Amino acid sequence: MIRVTFVESSGSAHEIEAQDEVSLMTVATNHAVPGIVADCGGSLSCATCHVYVRPQFAHLLEAPTPDETAMIEMALDPSPRSRLSCCIKIRPELNGLVVDLPERQL
Ligand code: FES
């Protein structure tokens, strides 16, 4: 079982059982997590799936591609912890992952 947690800017947490091999964005949208808009459906062209990965999990993720990095710059309030959830593939190693959601995506 792989569990991931999305924490809204209000502090509300959504702990969800995630399926191996799907994107973190898909996990969020399948469970109607507030704050993940995902306008482009995961085609890396909207930045509305923006999340902040908690530092203790950063080493578990593959480095962002140049395309992801460029799109993060289009997100509202980007930070060094920013990632696009459509670019994070769920793997067993990510069990326990916690990401924070921005106050808004648009
Ligand atoms: S869903 Fe559009 S960039 Fe991730």
Side-chain angles (χ1 to χ4, degrees):
M1 185 187 310
I2 307 167
R3 299 195 76 81
V4 298
T5 301
F6 299 85
V7 181
E8 296 182 63
S9 59
S10 66
S12 293
H14 305 267
E15 185 179 346
I16 294 173
E17 188 174 331
Q19 205 178 352
D20 198 9
E21 297 288 319
V22 303
S23 74
L24 184 62
M25 176 218 76
T26 299
V27 174
T29 55
N30 283 351
H31 292 83
V33 172
I36 296 291
V37 178
D39 263 341
C40 77
S43 60
L44 198 46
S45 59
C46 74
T48 61
C49 63
H50 178 208
V51 297
Y52 302 113
V53 175
R54 296 224 171 150
Q56 63 267 43
F57 301 103
H59 71 284
L60 297 174
L61 303 179
E62 293 176 12
T65 64
D67 285 347
E68 181 185 354
T69 300
M71 190 54 64
I72 286 171
E73 290 172 11
M74 310 291 284
L76 292 180
D77 303 323
S79 92
R81 298 194 295 123
S82 291
R83 293 297 302 263
L84 297 181
S85 58
C86 67
C87 298
I88 297 174
K89 189 191 282 186
I90 298 296
R91 296 177 285 114
E93 295 81 6
L94 295 182
N95 183 39
L97 175 70
V98 180
V99 298
D100 296 296
L101 300 176
E103 249 182 87
R104 58 196 176 99
Q105 298 278 9
L106 301 170

